[in-house]
Amino acid sequence: MEFEWLNSCIADETIELVLVFNEKGDILFGNQSAVQKLEYDKEELIKCNMMQIFRQDFLEGDNGDQTFEKETLESKKETAMYRKNSSCFPVNIHIIPSKEAGIYVLMAEDISRQKDMNARIRKLKEEEQENQKARNEFTANVTHELRTPVNGIRGHVTTLLDQIQDEEQRKTLDIILYCCDNMSAIINNILDFAKLESGKFTIDEKEFDFYKMMDRVIATHSAEINKKELRFSVDVDEKIPRLMIGDELRIVQILNNLMSNAIKFTMVGYINIVVSKTSQVNDEIELFFMVRDSGIGISQAEKDRLFQSFSQVDASITRRFGGTGLGLAITKQLIEMMQGSIHLESEKGKGSTFSFSVKLRTNQSINENNDKIYGAWANFAKEEDKKGGDVFTSFGEIDKNEELKKRMDKLVLSIELSAWDKAEMLAATIKTLIDTDNDDLKKQVLRMEMAIRKSNYEKSMDMYEKVKKLLSEQIGEI
Ligand code: ADP
């Protein structure tokens, strides 16, 4: 009776079930919601004991009696409440004791709908995972099967190229080869993507020469950069040890993807790679890479979608430049597998900077010498940097020859001054600037480099003269 006011004011208004009970578990009050949900009459409910409502929470004692222990109930958050007809429903409960009055207020929230919903979501998720698995397996099988005919076409076209002399026909065959390579790249991307999605992708841990890796990446793209007459520079932190342990092929894949995008979307200006060592804790090294371009750039709105799979900035770009929109999604996942992250800074029309970090290992100690076998390109950029001038150097055909002449000039001066470090850097750069079929010239440059490395003045000068003569025949008076 004394709870009537409570009944009318609050308890009946709430959608939660409210039960008030005493030390013995006798129910003294049940609100409207409790009456409805438990399917008792109001009078019946207040004759019940909590043990009838919360049957799961009270165990039979040794003598066959059940005892009501409110502590058992208090320790629960989620439990079940039983209706008059012995069916039950799940609830979240909360008990507020009023010690002086010796009574307890229990509030319960019916979570059947929530539970149903969770079960349905779980089922949908499981179904989606199954579908995804089937899709990935299908993709992996189809792409694998596609590789065989593409390789077949490639092999036959290469054989034909050896047999056919006609220029026009050779051009057509070259185009077919180019298309095969594009197709292989797309197939590989789809295969990688399927593997990454199904969690079958693993990262290798093998020792590799970091500087040789960088040289290989640069060699892969230099022809395309030259063709577009873009300025190109590479700046590699000399504190990076030569021998690293990690997945070389995947780092190359990341760099190749960023580089080919940079070249694809840059018509004039420059491309620049920067690599630095950001931290080393024992044998673990963090490297930071930047690939910068002065290309078409990417707007803020477009940036957000960029690392999602199959996303290209707009459809007209696909028509103009091709691509599947998978490259950056794969790149991002590969980087994350190497405990790194990728970022983009870009402004429409002004160019883009993609930067990323990866964690690798090394057995080389921090102070160990790198044998001075730095990548030729790294030295080149450093040298340009030291001059305080333009770090970007043009590799258009004419500029390249000018550059060669300039470097030959500086080289003889360095040899004469016995500035061997500088001479070695210059010789390495000269070697990379010469792309020639002239084997004799290549050999002489190599010998010159060896003589300089050994700081042998006589031999270095001798070889220098030979290289100069051969180069003059090729590019004009030096
Ligand atoms: P795709 O394989 O089609 O090139 P990516 O995931 O590598 O796919 O790139 C997705 C899209 O991001 C590209 O189609 C292009 O619109 C944009 N993009 C990527 N890199 C650059 C860049 N350096 N400059 C301008 N746009 C870029």
Side-chain angles (χ1 to χ4, degrees):
M1 258 310 167
E2 60 261 45
F3 295 108
E4 276 311 311
W5 63 273
L6 193 66
N7 190 1
S8 55
C9 305
I10 334 162
D12 274 348
E13 293 302 315
T14 168
I15 48 165
E16 288 200 329
L17 290 85
V18 179
L19 291 176
V20 180
F21 58 96
N22 65 16
E23 291 278 358
K24 285 195 254 161
D26 297 328
I27 295 175
L28 309 172
F29 169 78
N31 73 343
Q32 198 55 39
S33 183
V35 169
Q36 265 168 15
K37 292 228 155 139
L38 297 170
E39 296 173 2
Y40 284 96
D41 289 341
K42 206 161 188 120
E43 287 70 35
E44 270 181 320
L45 186 61
I46 52 173
K47 284 187 195 129
C48 288
N49 186 280
M50 290 292 276
M51 281 185 294
Q52 285 163 269
I53 310 292
F54 290 94
R55 298 181 200 177
Q56 277 178 11
D57 301 306
F58 307 103
L59 298 173
E60 246 176 51
D62 292 338
N63 55 3
D65 287 348
Q66 284 198 329
T67 43
F68 173 71
E69 294 168 47
K70 61 185 183 318
E71 290 79 15
T72 315
L73 212 52
E74 269 169 354
S75 65
K76 298 252 166 178
K77 183 173 182 326
E78 193 183 315
T79 181
M81 280 177 103
Y82 282 74
R83 299 187 185 91
K84 187 179 171 185
N85 66 8
S86 290
S87 62
C88 66
F89 56 94
V91 282
N92 270 339
I93 60 167
H94 178 56
I95 296 180
I96 306 165
S98 169
K99 290 240 167 69
E100 305 82 57
I103 57 164
Y104 302 86
V105 180
L106 175 138
M107 280 175 280
E109 180 197 2
D110 181 354
I111 53 170
S112 337
R113 281 173 134 232
Q114 200 177 315
K115 282 235 154 190
D116 278 356
M117 192 82 89
N118 287 348
R120 244 186 291 164
I121 291 173
R122 219 176 14 252
K123 192 155 173 278
L124 281 175
K125 267 195 189 155
E126 278 166 14
E127 276 171 15
E128 175 52 25
Q129 269 168 2
E130 281 296 309
N131 288 342
Q132 180 75 25
K133 205 171 141 214
R135 273 202 303 271
N136 286 336
E137 272 169 20
F138 172 77
T139 315
N141 288 342
V142 171
T143 40
H144 191 75
E145 290 304 315
L146 276 174
R147 262 184 179 173
T148 319
V150 174
N151 286 343
I153 300 171
R154 203 177 196 295
H156 283 95
V157 173
T158 315
T159 317
L160 274 179
L161 262 176
D162 287 342
Q163 297 163 0
I164 288 175
Q165 304 303 327
D166 182 86
E167 264 317 300
E168 277 308 302
Q169 286 180 344
R170 287 180 68 84
K171 255 191 215 158
T172 312
L173 290 175
D174 271 337
I175 294 172
I176 301 177
L177 270 191
Y178 177 75
C179 293
C180 282
D181 289 344
N182 271 351
M183 188 112 116
S184 295
I186 293 171
I187 292 171
N188 286 343
N189 261 355
I190 298 176
L191 205 60
D192 275 353
F193 186 72
K195 269 204 226 156
L196 280 163
E197 287 285 290
S198 59
K200 282 190 189 148
F201 207 97
T202 49
I203 291 290
D204 245 3
E205 288 261 301
K206 274 200 205 114
E207 192 168 78
F208 66 94
D209 186 321
F210 177 79
Y211 291 89
K212 279 197 184 140
M213 177 198 82
M214 286 306 294
D215 282 347
R216 270 213 342 259
V217 171
I218 286 143
T220 309
H221 300 281
S222 52
E224 199 59 29
I225 293 172
N226 282 342
K227 208 156 84 187
K228 287 185 115 173
E229 303 208 350
L230 299 170
R231 286 176 292 147
F232 180 47
S233 69
V234 183
D235 195 354
V236 179
D237 183 351
E238 66 185 64
K239 290 200 278 309
I240 298 173
R242 190 160 63 84
L243 296 177
M244 303 286 270
I245 299 165
D247 200 329
E248 179 186 9
L249 285 184
R250 296 305 172 183
I251 301 173
V252 168
Q253 184 178 351
I254 294 165
L255 284 169
N256 278 348
N257 182 41
L258 297 181
M259 279 296 287
S260 35
N261 276 345
I263 300 168
K264 186 153 65 161
F265 297 108
T266 306
M267 310 310 142
V268 284
Y270 65 83
I271 289 173
N272 167 227
I273 304 182
V274 179
V275 195
S276 46
K277 183 174 102 174
T278 38
S279 73
Q280 174 161 10
V281 180
N282 301 323
D283 65 345
E284 192 179 80
I285 286 192
E286 187 180 64
L287 295 186
F288 179 75
F289 294 76
M290 270 202 293
V291 177
R292 298 194 284 206
D293 67 59
S294 60
I296 60 174
I298 299 163
S299 72
Q300 184 56 47
E302 294 160 345
K303 273 186 215 168
D304 302 335
R305 285 187 290 133
L306 212 59
F307 296 103
Q308 291 163 13
S309 40
F310 306 107
S311 134
Q312 289 190 319
V313 163
D314 73 44
S316 63
I317 283 184
T318 321
R319 285 193 294 277
R320 206 163 129 217
F321 298 100
T324 52
L326 277 180
L328 285 175
I330 294 173
T331 299
K332 181 169 186 272
Q333 293 198 49
L334 289 178
I335 290 169
E336 282 167 2
M337 284 185 88
M338 292 188 224
Q339 300 162 64
S341 55
I342 182 162
H343 301 280
L344 165 66
E345 270 172 49
S346 185
E347 212 179 310
K348 196 92 184 153
K350 293 209 171 143
S352 314
T353 299
F354 282 89
S355 54
F356 68 94
S357 60
V358 286
K359 280 197 179 145
L360 299 168
R361 288 192 305 111
T362 184
N363 285 334
Q364 240 174 305
S365 80
I366 299 180
N367 298 323
E368 224 171 294
N369 196 324
N370 280 327
D371 305 327
K372 294 239 183 290
I373 312 176
Y374 301 128
W377 298 84
N379 286 328
F380 175 63
K382 262 189 294 166
E383 179 66 1
E384 288 294 312
D385 238 355
K386 264 186 228 147
K387 283 194 313 192
D390 187 4
V391 274
F392 306 113
T393 297
S394 187
F395 286 107
E397 206 41 58
I398 299 164
D399 291 339
K400 207 158 93 176
N401 291 344
E402 285 310 315
E403 201 62 46
L404 264 171
K405 287 179 189 173
K406 244 195 283 174
R407 295 206 170 234
M408 284 295 283
D409 250 342
K410 283 187 192 163
L411 178 64
V412 70
L413 205 69
S414 306
I415 297 174
E416 271 167 355
L417 294 172
S418 297
W420 296 114
D421 273 358
K422 193 162 180 180
E424 200 186 324
M425 276 195 307
L426 286 161
T429 316
I430 288 166
K431 194 172 73 189
T432 57
L433 282 170
I434 295 174
D435 53 349
T436 170
D437 295 330
N438 186 339
D439 279 342
D440 201 21
L441 177 55
K442 271 193 204 159
K443 254 186 249 155
Q444 303 297 2
V445 176
L446 211 64
R447 283 196 192 128
M448 177 179 79
E449 201 183 11
M450 297 306 288
I452 292 170
R453 199 170 289 162
K454 285 183 185 152
S455 312
N456 182 334
Y457 176 81
E458 250 69 33
K459 188 104 190 256
S460 298
M461 282 308 273
D462 189 25
M463 297 317 302
Y464 168 81
E465 285 306 331
K466 286 191 178 142
V467 170
K468 185 177 164 186
K469 187 165 169 289
L470 286 167
L471 253 182
S472 300
E473 285 165 15
Q474 194 170 304
I475 65 169
E477 196 54 35
I478 289 186

